[in-house]
Amino acid sequence: MLRLTTFVSAIALSTAAMASAAMAEDIKVGVSPGEHGEIMEKVAEVAEPLGLTIEVIEFSDYVVPNQALADGDLDANSFQHRPYLENQMKDRGFELVEVGTTITTPMGIYSDKVEDIADLPEGAQVAIPNDPTNGGRALLILQDLGLITLAEGTGLVPSPLDVSDNPKGLQFLELDAAQLPRALADADIAVINTNYALASGLSPRADAIAMEKADSPYVNILVVQQGREAEPWVKTMVEAYQSPEVKAFIDEKYDGAVITSW
């Protein structure tokens, strides 16, 4: 009887091991520098015991991760908000789909020259991102602060050409988002995405002279190729991201500069 029990137990253990191996999967997830990469490394820790191994691949700009995902070089990416994805799909024909929300990172206005946005001089140089969605987002923040007025009907993607009223005569300098922290040496102010601010040593709480409103529509998302959203690893990835462990990590590390969506 002892031998039979031992034999049955061995079969059960072998079956469980094979099932675990069958569920195990390796994926590549593209991220941008800063909090997106740091958070995904934590997600990878949480996902590992669930049978999902995540290789985190960092990109220095906002264009390549969607192209790499569309080309099949990535299984997912985590770096962008909904308006940016929608604009990329419209302009470049990507067949991608959102599978979960992640974080909100309010944009901030930073300056080495003024301490209060009200002190911005006439003709000041304002550095903003040069991609349509983040550039438009920056302009909407400036409008909320009463610095400019945008033409009606521009939605979430206005450009400097849509500025209908500019009482201070602000001059807009459009740069790659990753280069904006360096622009502080020349521009009067720069409107910078939180990931690039953090990566350059800026603190949104301590260093920003103004911040985007908390009710921004720019929640960030996890994205995969259309047609893959029902694959089992996608559910595991989302559950690992939206876990209590990851939320606690974000709350502790970023002290309110990054807000979870769940």
Side-chain angles (χ1 to χ4, degrees), residues 138-229:
L139 292 171
L140 288 167
I141 295 171
L142 296 173
Q143 178 173 248
D144 285 340
L145 292 168
L147 293 171
I148 60 172
T149 301
L150 297 166
E152 293 185 10
T154 55
L156 295 176
V157 288
S159 78
L161 296 176
D162 297 310
V163 175
S164 59
D165 188 27
N166 186 1
K168 283 183 177 282
L170 303 181
Q171 304 296 311
F172 297 101
L173 179 63
E174 297 178 89
L175 299 172
D176 182 82
Q179 304 302 317
L180 287 169
R182 298 179 187 176
L184 290 173
D186 301 309
D188 291 280
I189 60 172
V191 190
I192 306 176
N193 294 81
T194 293
N195 61 313
Y196 290 121
L198 293 173
S200 67
L202 293 168
S203 166
R205 280 182 183 260
D207 299 320
I209 62 173
M211 290 292 291
E212 185 175 23
K213 291 181 178 178
D215 59 355
S216 161
Y218 296 92
V219 63
N220 286 274
I221 52 180
L222 292 164
V223 178
V224 303
Q225 287 179 324
Q226 286 183 14
R228 299 194 67 188
E229 58 267 35

Side-chain angles (χ1 to χ4, degrees), residues 39-178:
I39 295 169
M40 189 54 66
E41 292 288 357
K42 181 64 179 180
V43 174
E45 291 180 18
V46 176
E48 186 75 29
L50 304 177
L52 182 64
T53 299
I54 299 176
E55 179 182 355
V56 182
I57 301 176
E58 194 169 282
F59 295 86
S60 61
D61 65 37
Y62 287 155
V63 177
V64 179
N66 278 332
Q67 186 65 62
L69 180 57
D71 290 343
D73 296 326
L74 298 174
D75 299 286
N77 67 40
S78 177
F79 76 100
Q80 64 193 321
H81 48 62
R82 285 171 177 158
Y84 185 80
L85 175 64
E86 291 168 0
N87 188 71
Q88 285 269 291
M89 291 173 63
K90 178 182 177 182
D91 289 351
R92 308 190 68 177
F94 294 141
E95 295 184 348
L96 307 176
V97 62
E98 171 190 341
V99 293
T101 61
T102 58
I103 56 173
T104 300
T105 53
M107 289 183 87
I109 298 180
Y110 300 83
S111 178
D112 286 345
K113 297 180 174 61
V114 297
E115 295 183 358
D116 191 313
I117 198 70
D119 298 331
L120 200 61
E122 297 282 337
Q125 252 199 346
V126 179
I128 65 173
N130 63 2
D131 65 272
T133 49
N134 285 297
R137 182 180 182 184
L139 292 171
L140 288 167
I141 295 171
L142 296 173
Q143 178 173 248
D144 285 340
L145 292 168
L147 293 171
I148 60 172
T149 301
L150 297 166
E152 293 185 10
T154 55
L156 295 176
V157 288
S159 78
L161 296 176
D162 297 310
V163 175
S164 59
D165 188 27
N166 186 1
K168 283 183 177 282
L170 303 181
Q171 304 296 311
F172 297 101
L173 179 63
E174 297 178 89
L175 299 172
D176 182 82

